[in-house]
């Protein structure tokens, strides 16, 4: 088992957290506390879930991976709201969608791998 910090999905998650901080800096004060902090907290939760999924047995890993996908979708929706309100630059929006898509693909593949394997005898 690799260290969670060596996983590509974790490195992508760190980049997403960095982007979320940049997004919060661009938001007007009225949205920073409501959406900005929530987006950042979801990104931190994603990183924690990635570490937990890496550290657990295959039988319990699927639950963490499903939660990663749920949080990933929530961050996408919140960033979409910020983008639609014109508080997020198109460049950061495009980068966020790329990172969130990558996390979704990696977590989905990891989930498929975790649920399709027969237990070792």
């Amino acid at each position: 088992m690799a260290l969670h910090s060596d996983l590509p999905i974790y490195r992508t998650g760190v980049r997403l957290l960095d982007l979320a901080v940049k997004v919060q800096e661009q938001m007007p004060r009225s949205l920073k506390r409501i959406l900005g902090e929530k987006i950042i907290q979801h990104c931190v939760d994603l990183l924690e879930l990635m570490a937990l999924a890496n550290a657990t047995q295959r039988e319990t890993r699927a639950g963490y991976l499903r939660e990663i996908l749920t949080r990933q979708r929530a961050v996408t929706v919140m960033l979409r709201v910020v983008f639609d309100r014109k508080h997020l630059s198109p460049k950061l929006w495009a980068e966020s969608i790329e990172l969130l898509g990558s996390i979704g693909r990696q977590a989905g593949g990891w989930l498929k791998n975790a649920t399709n394997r027969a237990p070792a005898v």
Side-chain angles (χ1 to χ4, degrees):
M1 177 183 342
L3 288 174
H4 68 276
S5 56
D6 293 338
L7 297 173
I9 190 172
Y10 187 84
R11 289 192 303 268
T12 304
V14 170
R15 288 179 50 209
L16 180 64
L17 177 58
D18 181 57
L19 183 136
V21 171
K22 290 177 190 172
V23 167
Q24 187 184 30
E25 290 171 355
Q26 288 187 3
M27 288 182 189
R29 179 174 280 170
S30 60
L31 288 179
K32 280 184 181 185
R33 299 239 341 145
I34 297 168
L35 276 177
E37 288 180 6
K38 193 168 202 105
I39 292 168
I40 288 173
Q41 185 58 53
H42 275 306
C43 291
V44 170
D45 292 344
L46 279 169
L47 293 173
E48 290 174 359
L49 289 165
M50 290 170 193
L52 287 169
N54 186 52
T56 59
Q57 298 296 322
R58 188 177 314 277
E59 300 82 37
T60 57
R61 187 173 294 160
Y64 291 122
L65 294 169
R66 287 186 187 98
E67 186 64 25
I68 288 171
L69 292 170
T70 301
R71 300 282 174 141
Q72 177 255 350
R73 286 188 289 273
V75 171
T76 302
V77 169
M78 287 184 274
L79 286 172
R80 181 66 192 202
V81 168
V82 174
F83 178 71
D84 288 347
R85 294 184 52 88
K86 309 282 191 243
H87 300 304
L88 178 61
S89 70
K91 180 181 176 186
L92 281 179
W93 169 245
E95 188 178 346
S96 70
I97 290 303
E98 179 184 326
L99 293 172
L100 287 161
S102 177
I103 289 171
R105 284 188 303 277
Q106 291 177 66
W110 199 4
L111 177 62
K112 185 177 178 181
N113 182 281
T115 57
N116 285 342
R117 288 203 173 181
V121 180

